[in-house]
Amino acid sequence: MHGAPILLTNTDWRHALLTNREQTLERIYAKVYPMALHYVKERGGSADDAKDIFQEALIVFYEKVVHDQLVLTASISTYLMAICKNLWLQELEKRARKTSLESLPPDIGALDSDEEIGSDTIQLKEFVNGLGDKCRDILVSFYYFGQKLEYIAAKYGYRNIHTATVQKFKCLERLRKAVSHLSIERFHL
């Protein structure tokens, strides 16, 4: 059964996932995961990286199929590999940014030595950090790392993209409210 091609219609996928989710996902995993593993390892990743990426791709696929939001125009392996490739490229970009940030001097972004602690210069990141871990992570993931809402929804356990969008909006509104009394000139980015 593992060697058989997985060619089903959108309706067939939905039915298979709703009636026999575990077996259907195992079958997909057995067929497509080795390709994802090879792709990630060829591009500097580990087996754990490949598992994470593939599981995120599987979540995206599952959510779209179950909520009848998927129009599959290629094979499931082609579709999942496209998601895996995009997710892995995002992860590589994220790692590159993190590495470049870590290589900056530790005092970057701090107040200049000429400025007094009580001056009008305020760091935006202090306001973002004041939002709490989840809001900070969502805003940084979306605006700094450029991650898609599909990825953010899966990463933070939201039911769908709409829920992640609403949460991102709420976090952004909290940030806007926190800094609304300040002018842009007062920020030291």
Side-chain angles (χ1 to χ4, degrees), residues 6 9 62 116 120-121 140 160 186:
I6 305 178
T9 66
Y62 179 82
E116 295 178 273
D120 287 342
T121 304
V140 168
N160 54 45
R186 297 179 68 177

Side-chain angles (χ1 to χ4, degrees), residues 36-62:
L37 175 64
H38 177 73
Y39 179 83
V40 170
K41 285 179 117 181
E42 286 288 312
R43 285 152 187 82
S46 67
D48 286 339
D49 292 330
K51 283 179 187 174
D52 291 344
I53 294 295
F54 187 72
Q55 286 171 359
E56 289 177 40
L58 214 49
I59 289 168
V60 170
F61 169 74
Y62 179 82

Side-chain angles (χ1 to χ4, degrees), residues 34-188:
M35 291 185 277
L37 175 64
H38 177 73
Y39 179 83
V40 170
K41 285 179 117 181
E42 286 288 312
R43 285 152 187 82
S46 67
D48 286 339
D49 292 330
K51 283 179 187 174
D52 291 344
I53 294 295
F54 187 72
Q55 286 171 359
E56 289 177 40
L58 214 49
I59 289 168
V60 170
F61 169 74
Y62 179 82
E63 288 289 323
K64 285 187 174 270
V65 169
V66 169
H67 296 320
D68 211 15
Q69 299 171 338
L70 177 68
V71 177
L72 199 57
T73 58
S75 71
I76 182 63
S77 57
T78 301
Y79 179 77
L80 283 170
M81 283 305 299
I83 294 172
C84 288
K85 288 175 182 180
N86 286 332
L87 290 173
W88 183 243
L89 290 174
Q90 288 176 6
E91 179 64 24
L92 289 176
E93 289 173 8
K94 177 180 154 186
R95 289 179 183 185
R97 285 186 186 140
K98 185 176 180 183
T99 301
S100 67
L101 284 176
E102 288 171 352
S103 66
L104 293 174
D107 62 345
I108 198 82
L111 294 176
D112 292 339
S113 57
D114 314 326
E115 297 174 334
E116 295 178 273
I117 298 295
S119 75
D120 287 342
T121 304
I122 298 169
Q123 293 182 11
L124 182 58
K125 70 180 182 180
E126 290 176 17
F127 284 98
V128 174
N129 287 335
L131 295 175
D133 291 343
K134 196 162 197 171
C135 269
R136 179 196 63 227
D137 291 348
I138 290 170
L139 292 178
V140 168
S141 294
F142 184 79
Y143 290 106
Y144 183 74
F145 292 116
Q147 295 174 339
K148 299 199 182 302
L149 284 168
E150 279 181 351
Y151 175 80
I152 292 170
K155 182 177 179 181
Y156 295 103
Y158 293 113
R159 284 189 333 194
N160 54 45
I161 296 170
H162 176 71
T163 306
T165 303
V166 169
Q167 185 60 45
K168 178 187 70 84
F169 178 77
K170 287 179 180 178
C171 293
L172 194 55
E173 284 302 305
R174 283 179 50 206
L175 180 61
R176 283 184 183 137
K177 192 178 277 188
V179 300
S180 64
H181 65 286
L182 303 171
S183 67
I184 191 69
E185 293 82 29
R186 297 179 68 177
F187 288 95
H188 184 256

